[in-house]
Protein backbone atom coordinates (compact mmCIF):
# COMPACT_ATOMS: atom_id res chain seq x y z
CA UNK A 1 0.00 0.00 0.00
CA UNK A 2 1.19 3.51 -0.74
CA UNK A 3 0.50 5.85 2.13
CA UNK A 4 -2.26 8.30 1.14
CA UNK A 5 -1.04 10.76 3.80
CA UNK A 6 2.45 10.96 2.33
CA UNK A 7 3.24 14.50 1.11
CA UNK A 8 3.18 14.77 -2.67
CA UNK A 9 4.79 17.33 -4.93
CA UNK A 10 4.65 16.29 -8.53
CA UNK A 11 3.22 17.31 -11.87
CA UNK A 12 0.70 14.74 -13.00
CA UNK A 13 -0.26 14.40 -16.63
CA UNK A 14 -3.91 13.84 -17.45
CA UNK A 15 -3.85 10.47 -19.25
CA UNK A 16 -6.83 11.40 -21.44
CA UNK A 17 -5.64 14.90 -22.36
CA UNK A 18 -1.85 14.93 -21.88
CA UNK A 19 -1.61 18.67 -22.59
CA UNK A 20 -3.52 19.21 -19.36
CA UNK A 21 -1.36 18.81 -16.31
CA UNK A 22 -1.86 19.33 -12.61
CA UNK A 23 0.62 20.27 -9.94
CA UNK A 24 -0.23 18.17 -6.91
CA UNK A 25 1.45 19.92 -3.99
CA UNK A 26 0.27 18.88 -0.57
CA UNK A 27 3.01 20.08 1.76
CA UNK A 28 1.59 22.86 3.87
CA UNK A 29 4.19 25.49 3.02
CA UNK A 30 3.59 24.98 -0.67
CA UNK A 31 -0.09 25.76 -0.56
CA UNK A 32 -0.50 28.63 -2.99
CA UNK A 33 -4.13 29.25 -2.16
CA UNK A 34 -6.26 28.99 0.88
CA UNK A 35 -9.66 27.41 0.91
CA UNK A 36 -12.36 30.07 1.03
CA UNK A 37 -15.38 29.34 3.17
CA UNK A 38 -18.18 29.19 0.58
CA UNK A 39 -21.26 31.38 1.00
CA UNK A 40 -23.92 29.25 2.66
CA UNK A 41 -26.45 27.74 0.28
CA UNK A 42 -30.19 28.23 0.49
CA UNK A 43 -31.82 25.14 2.01
CA UNK A 44 -35.42 26.37 2.26
CA UNK A 45 -38.10 24.05 0.82
CA UNK A 46 -40.23 26.84 -0.66
CA UNK A 47 -39.60 30.53 -1.38
CA UNK A 48 -42.56 32.73 -2.31
CA UNK A 49 -40.53 34.95 -4.63
CA UNK A 50 -38.62 32.16 -6.41
CA UNK A 51 -39.58 31.80 -10.10
CA UNK A 52 -38.79 28.07 -10.00
CA UNK A 53 -40.95 27.27 -6.96
CA UNK A 54 -44.30 25.50 -7.15
CA UNK A 55 -47.12 28.04 -7.61
CA UNK A 56 -44.89 30.55 -9.45
CA UNK A 57 -44.94 28.81 -12.83
CA UNK A 58 -46.21 32.01 -14.50
CA UNK A 59 -42.90 33.69 -13.60
CA UNK A 60 -40.93 31.58 -16.12
CA UNK A 61 -41.36 31.26 -19.89
CA UNK A 62 -43.92 28.51 -20.74
CA UNK A 63 -42.74 24.96 -19.98
CA UNK A 64 -41.15 23.02 -22.84
CA UNK A 65 -41.91 19.89 -20.85
CA UNK A 66 -42.94 18.75 -17.38
CA UNK A 67 -42.14 15.32 -15.94
CA UNK A 68 -43.55 12.89 -15.21
CA UNK A 69 -46.53 13.47 -17.50
CA UNK A 70 -49.32 15.33 -15.74
CA UNK A 71 -49.35 17.36 -12.54
CA UNK A 72 -47.88 17.82 -10.04
CA UNK A 73 -44.54 18.26 -11.78
CA UNK A 74 -41.29 16.90 -10.43
CA UNK A 75 -39.13 18.31 -13.23
CA UNK A 76 -39.84 21.24 -15.49
CA UNK A 77 -37.91 22.41 -18.59
CA UNK A 78 -38.16 26.05 -19.65
CA UNK A 79 -36.35 28.37 -22.03
CA UNK A 80 -33.49 30.26 -20.32
CA UNK A 81 -34.54 33.88 -19.81
CA UNK A 82 -31.00 35.05 -20.56
CA UNK A 83 -29.84 32.56 -23.18
CA UNK A 84 -26.16 32.58 -24.14
CA UNK A 85 -27.25 31.27 -27.57
CA UNK A 86 -30.50 31.60 -29.50
CA UNK A 87 -32.43 30.92 -32.70
CA UNK A 88 -32.02 34.36 -34.13
CA UNK A 89 -29.19 35.94 -36.07
CA UNK A 90 -29.20 39.47 -34.80
CA UNK A 91 -25.62 40.07 -35.85
CA UNK A 92 -24.85 39.04 -39.40
CA UNK A 93 -21.55 37.24 -39.70
CA UNK A 94 -18.96 39.85 -40.66
CA UNK A 95 -15.78 37.82 -40.48
CA UNK A 96 -12.58 39.64 -41.27
CA UNK A 97 -9.04 38.28 -41.34
CA UNK A 98 -8.35 36.45 -38.11
CA UNK A 99 -11.61 37.61 -36.60
CA UNK A 100 -13.61 34.53 -37.55
CA UNK A 101 -16.96 33.89 -35.95
CA UNK A 102 -19.60 31.18 -36.06
CA UNK A 103 -23.26 32.08 -35.68
CA UNK A 104 -24.35 32.07 -32.06
CA UNK A 105 -27.06 29.65 -33.09
CA UNK A 106 -28.15 27.17 -30.47
CA UNK A 107 -30.49 26.43 -27.62
CA UNK A 108 -30.18 27.26 -23.95
CA UNK A 109 -32.70 25.68 -21.61
CA UNK A 110 -33.09 25.29 -17.89
CA UNK A 111 -34.43 22.25 -16.12
CA UNK A 112 -35.89 22.78 -12.66
CA UNK A 113 -34.58 19.63 -11.02
CA UNK A 114 -37.01 19.30 -8.13
CA UNK A 115 -40.16 20.92 -6.80
CA UNK A 116 -38.37 21.59 -3.49
CA UNK A 117 -36.35 24.80 -3.60
CA UNK A 118 -33.13 24.06 -1.74
CA UNK A 119 -32.84 20.28 -1.91
CA UNK A 120 -29.36 18.90 -2.70
CA UNK A 121 -28.70 15.94 -5.00
CA UNK A 122 -27.75 13.61 -2.14
CA UNK A 123 -31.10 14.43 -0.46
CA UNK A 124 -33.12 13.44 -3.55
CA UNK A 125 -34.48 9.88 -3.79
CA UNK A 126 -32.80 7.41 -6.12
CA UNK A 127 -36.05 7.22 -8.02
CA UNK A 128 -36.03 10.98 -8.53
CA UNK A 129 -32.38 10.96 -9.66
CA UNK A 130 -33.23 8.21 -12.16
CA UNK A 131 -36.04 10.42 -13.52
CA UNK A 132 -33.62 13.35 -13.67
CA UNK A 133 -31.04 11.45 -15.74
CA UNK A 134 -33.67 9.81 -18.01
CA UNK A 135 -35.00 13.28 -18.68
CA UNK A 136 -31.50 14.59 -19.48
CA UNK A 137 -31.32 11.76 -22.01
CA UNK A 138 -34.75 12.39 -23.49
CA UNK A 139 -34.23 16.13 -23.89
CA UNK A 140 -30.74 15.70 -25.35
CA UNK A 141 -32.18 13.36 -27.96
CA UNK A 142 -34.99 15.79 -28.82
CA UNK A 143 -32.50 18.65 -29.17
CA UNK A 144 -30.21 16.65 -31.48
CA UNK A 145 -33.23 15.66 -33.58
CA UNK A 146 -34.58 19.23 -33.67
CA UNK A 147 -31.75 20.52 -35.87
CA UNK A 148 -28.90 18.71 -37.64
CA UNK A 149 -26.70 21.80 -37.18
CA UNK A 150 -26.46 21.02 -33.47
CA UNK A 151 -23.21 19.15 -32.84
CA UNK A 152 -23.19 19.01 -29.08
CA UNK A 153 -25.65 19.20 -26.22
CA UNK A 154 -23.90 20.05 -22.96
CA UNK A 155 -25.86 19.14 -19.84
CA UNK A 156 -24.55 20.65 -16.65
CA UNK A 157 -25.50 21.73 -13.18
CA UNK A 158 -24.17 24.57 -11.05
CA UNK A 159 -25.00 24.05 -7.41
CA UNK A 160 -24.45 26.73 -4.76
CA UNK A 161 -23.22 30.31 -5.03
CA UNK A 162 -19.57 29.14 -5.05
CA UNK A 163 -20.32 27.23 -8.30
CA UNK A 164 -21.91 30.21 -10.03
CA UNK A 165 -25.55 29.25 -9.61
CA UNK A 166 -27.44 32.53 -10.07
CA UNK A 167 -30.78 31.11 -8.92
CA UNK A 168 -30.73 29.17 -5.66
CA UNK A 169 -33.51 26.76 -6.67
CA UNK A 170 -31.89 23.50 -7.76
CA UNK A 171 -31.65 23.37 -11.57
CA UNK A 172 -29.66 22.03 -14.52
CA UNK A 173 -29.00 23.52 -17.93
CA UNK A 174 -28.85 22.32 -21.52
CA UNK A 175 -26.72 24.25 -23.99
CA UNK A 176 -26.93 22.94 -27.55
CA UNK A 177 -24.27 24.34 -29.86
CA UNK A 178 -23.22 24.12 -33.51
CA UNK A 179 -19.61 23.57 -32.37
CA UNK A 180 -18.06 20.91 -30.16
CA UNK A 181 -16.71 22.43 -26.92
CA UNK A 182 -12.89 22.37 -26.70
CA UNK A 183 -12.78 20.19 -23.58
CA UNK A 184 -14.88 17.51 -25.25
CA UNK A 185 -12.98 17.81 -28.52
CA UNK A 186 -9.63 17.28 -26.74
CA UNK A 187 -10.94 14.16 -25.01
CA UNK A 188 -12.55 12.75 -28.15
CA UNK A 189 -9.50 13.34 -30.34
CA UNK A 190 -6.93 12.08 -27.83
CA UNK A 191 -8.94 8.95 -27.05
CA UNK A 192 -9.29 8.30 -30.80
CA UNK A 193 -5.50 8.55 -31.20
CA UNK A 194 -5.05 6.16 -28.27
CA UNK A 195 -7.50 3.74 -29.87
CA UNK A 196 -5.70 3.85 -33.21
CA UNK A 197 -2.44 2.86 -31.48
CA UNK A 198 -3.73 0.44 -28.86
CA UNK A 199 -7.06 -0.81 -30.21
CA UNK A 200 -8.60 -0.15 -26.80
CA UNK A 201 -10.71 2.56 -25.26
CA UNK A 202 -8.49 4.58 -22.91
CA UNK A 203 -11.36 5.05 -20.43
CA UNK A 204 -11.95 1.27 -20.29
CA UNK A 205 -8.21 0.87 -19.69
CA UNK A 206 -8.38 3.39 -16.84
CA UNK A 207 -11.30 1.53 -15.28
CA UNK A 208 -9.40 -1.76 -15.53
CA UNK A 209 -6.40 -0.14 -13.86
CA UNK A 210 -8.59 1.29 -11.10
CA UNK A 211 -9.97 -2.16 -10.45
CA UNK A 212 -6.47 -3.67 -10.24
CA UNK A 213 -6.11 -3.36 -6.53
CA UNK A 214 -2.44 -3.92 -6.13
CA UNK A 215 0.49 -4.12 -8.48
CA UNK A 216 4.08 -4.93 -7.52
CA UNK A 217 7.06 -3.60 -9.40
CA UNK A 218 10.13 -5.82 -9.04
CA UNK A 219 13.69 -4.76 -9.69
CA UNK A 220 14.88 -6.38 -12.92
CA UNK A 221 18.31 -7.32 -11.58
CA UNK A 222 17.94 -8.06 -7.88
CA UNK A 223 14.37 -9.35 -8.10
CA UNK A 224 13.56 -7.30 -5.02
CA UNK A 225 10.30 -5.43 -4.66
CA UNK A 226 10.87 -1.87 -5.89
CA UNK A 227 7.44 -0.42 -5.31
CA UNK A 228 3.95 -1.59 -4.50
CA UNK A 229 1.26 0.33 -6.29
CA UNK A 230 -2.22 0.42 -4.93
CA UNK A 231 -4.13 1.49 -8.01
CA UNK A 232 -7.53 0.69 -6.54
CA UNK A 233 -7.06 3.55 -4.11
CA UNK A 234 -8.74 5.86 -6.63
CA UNK A 235 -12.10 4.06 -6.51
CA UNK A 236 -14.82 5.86 -4.52
CA UNK A 237 -17.87 3.77 -5.37
CA UNK A 238 -18.51 0.70 -7.47
CA UNK A 239 -21.99 -0.34 -8.53
CA UNK A 240 -23.31 -3.01 -10.88
CA UNK A 241 -22.97 -0.76 -13.90
CA UNK A 242 -21.11 2.37 -12.78
CA UNK A 243 -17.91 3.31 -11.04
CA UNK A 244 -16.97 6.58 -9.31
CA UNK A 245 -13.26 7.39 -9.55
CA UNK A 246 -11.02 10.11 -8.15
CA UNK A 247 -8.84 10.96 -11.16
CA UNK A 248 -5.10 10.49 -10.57
CA UNK A 249 -4.48 13.93 -12.13
CA UNK A 250 -7.50 15.74 -10.61
CA UNK A 251 -7.63 19.46 -11.36
CA UNK A 252 -9.90 20.12 -8.38
CA UNK A 253 -9.26 18.87 -4.86
CA UNK A 254 -12.52 16.90 -4.62
CA UNK A 255 -13.19 16.17 -8.29
CA UNK A 256 -14.83 12.78 -8.94
CA UNK A 257 -15.79 11.16 -12.25
CA UNK A 258 -18.57 8.60 -12.74
CA UNK A 259 -18.31 6.25 -15.73
CA UNK A 260 -20.29 3.27 -17.01
CA UNK A 261 -18.30 0.07 -16.36
CA UNK A 262 -19.25 -1.40 -19.74
CA UNK A 263 -18.09 0.56 -22.75
CA UNK A 264 -20.63 3.12 -23.98
CA UNK A 265 -19.72 6.21 -26.02
CA UNK A 266 -23.05 7.98 -26.16
CA UNK A 267 -25.08 8.91 -23.10
CA UNK A 268 -28.17 8.54 -25.33
CA UNK A 269 -27.58 4.75 -25.25
CA UNK A 270 -28.29 4.40 -21.50
CA UNK A 271 -31.07 2.00 -20.53
CA UNK A 272 -33.47 2.38 -17.56
CA UNK A 273 -31.38 -0.23 -15.66
CA UNK A 274 -28.23 1.82 -16.33
CA UNK A 275 -29.92 4.97 -15.06
CA UNK A 276 -31.13 3.24 -11.89
CA UNK A 277 -27.58 2.20 -10.98
CA UNK A 278 -26.20 5.62 -11.98
CA UNK A 279 -28.73 7.25 -9.62
CA UNK A 280 -27.53 5.04 -6.77
CA UNK A 281 -23.83 5.67 -7.39
CA UNK A 282 -24.38 9.42 -7.82
CA UNK A 283 -26.42 9.67 -4.64
CA UNK A 284 -23.77 7.78 -2.65
CA UNK A 285 -20.92 9.81 -4.15
CA UNK A 286 -22.66 13.13 -3.44
CA UNK A 287 -23.39 12.01 0.13
CA UNK A 288 -19.69 11.32 0.62
CA UNK A 289 -18.68 14.67 -0.87
CA UNK A 290 -21.24 16.53 1.20
CA UNK A 291 -20.10 14.82 4.40
CA UNK A 292 -16.42 15.59 3.78
CA UNK A 293 -16.93 19.15 2.56
CA UNK A 294 -19.75 20.08 4.93
CA UNK A 295 -22.18 21.21 2.22
CA UNK A 296 -20.69 20.62 -1.22
CA UNK A 297 -21.08 23.32 -3.87
CA UNK A 298 -20.11 22.06 -7.28
CA UNK A 299 -20.48 21.95 -11.02
CA UNK A 300 -21.20 18.67 -12.72
CA UNK A 301 -21.40 18.05 -16.43
CA UNK A 302 -21.90 15.19 -18.86
CA UNK A 303 -19.28 14.45 -21.51
CA UNK A 304 -20.65 12.27 -24.30
CA UNK A 305 -19.59 11.61 -27.90
CA UNK A 306 -20.51 14.62 -30.09
CA UNK A 307 -23.07 14.22 -32.84
CA UNK A 308 -20.71 15.57 -35.47
CA UNK A 309 -19.83 13.85 -38.76
CA UNK A 310 -16.07 14.02 -38.08
CA UNK A 311 -16.56 12.04 -34.85
CA UNK A 312 -18.86 9.38 -36.31
CA UNK A 313 -16.00 6.85 -35.96
CA UNK A 314 -15.54 7.43 -32.21
CA UNK A 315 -18.06 4.87 -30.98
CA UNK A 316 -15.34 2.45 -29.86
CA UNK A 317 -12.79 4.98 -28.63
CA UNK A 318 -14.84 7.44 -26.58
CA UNK A 319 -16.58 6.64 -23.29
CA UNK A 320 -19.16 9.00 -21.81
CA UNK A 321 -18.85 10.15 -18.19
CA UNK A 322 -20.09 12.59 -15.59
CA UNK A 323 -17.49 14.96 -14.13
CA UNK A 324 -18.25 16.35 -10.67
CA UNK A 325 -16.13 19.36 -9.67
CA UNK A 326 -16.75 20.69 -6.15
CA UNK A 327 -15.65 24.30 -5.72
CA UNK A 328 -13.43 24.70 -2.71
CA UNK A 329 -10.98 27.34 -3.92
CA UNK A 330 -10.68 30.15 -6.42
CA UNK A 331 -8.12 29.80 -9.25
CA UNK A 332 -5.02 31.92 -8.65
CA UNK A 333 -3.13 34.09 -11.13
CA UNK A 334 -0.56 31.33 -11.38
CA UNK A 335 -3.23 28.87 -12.52
CA UNK A 336 -4.93 31.26 -14.95
CA UNK A 337 -1.62 32.44 -16.36
CA UNK A 338 0.04 29.06 -16.70
CA UNK A 339 -2.95 26.84 -17.37
CA UNK A 340 -1.39 24.51 -14.78
CA UNK A 341 -3.95 23.56 -12.16
CA UNK A 342 -2.74 23.34 -8.58
CA UNK A 343 -4.29 20.69 -6.37
CA UNK A 344 -3.37 20.89 -2.70
CA UNK A 345 -5.00 17.62 -1.62
CA UNK A 346 -3.45 14.45 -2.99
CA UNK A 347 -6.07 12.51 -4.96
CA UNK A 348 -5.13 9.36 -3.00
CA UNK A 349 -5.79 11.09 0.33
CA UNK A 350 -9.03 12.63 -0.97
CA UNK A 351 -10.26 9.23 -2.16
CA UNK A 352 -9.40 7.61 1.18
CA UNK A 353 -11.31 10.32 3.03
CA UNK A 354 -14.36 9.98 0.76
CA UNK A 355 -14.35 6.20 1.08
CA UNK A 356 -14.20 6.46 4.88
CA UNK A 357 -17.60 8.23 5.10
CA UNK A 358 -20.00 5.72 6.67
CA UNK A 359 -23.10 5.10 4.54
CA UNK A 360 -26.04 2.82 5.26
ZN1 LIG B 1 -37.51 27.86 -5.56
ZN1 LIG C 1 -14.60 2.47 -22.96
ZN1 LIG D 1 -14.61 14.62 -19.62
Amino acid sequence: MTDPEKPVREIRINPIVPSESVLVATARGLRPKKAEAPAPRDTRAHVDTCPFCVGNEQMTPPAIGTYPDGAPWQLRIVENLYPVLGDDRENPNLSFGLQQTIDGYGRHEVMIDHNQHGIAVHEMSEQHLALLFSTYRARMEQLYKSNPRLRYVLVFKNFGPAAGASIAHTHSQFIATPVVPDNVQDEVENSRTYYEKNHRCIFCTLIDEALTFEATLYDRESGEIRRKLDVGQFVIERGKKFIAIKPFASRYEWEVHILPLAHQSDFLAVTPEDVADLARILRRTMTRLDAVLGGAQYNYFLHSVPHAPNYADCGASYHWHLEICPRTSIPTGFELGSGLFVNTVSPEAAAAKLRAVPLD
Side-chain angles (χ1 to χ4, degrees), residues 61 112 178 191-192 221 228-229 248 310 336:
I112 301 151
S191 56
R192 176 160 66 187
E221 280 167 20
K228 267 196 191 297
L229 292 173
F248 154 82
N310 47 336
L336 294 174

Side-chain angles (χ1 to χ4, degrees), residues 246-258:
K246 180 88 196 85
F248 154 82
S250 302
R251 295 156 296 179
Y252 301 100
E253 277 75 6
W254 301 96
E255 178 178 355
V256 176
H257 295 183
I258 298 182

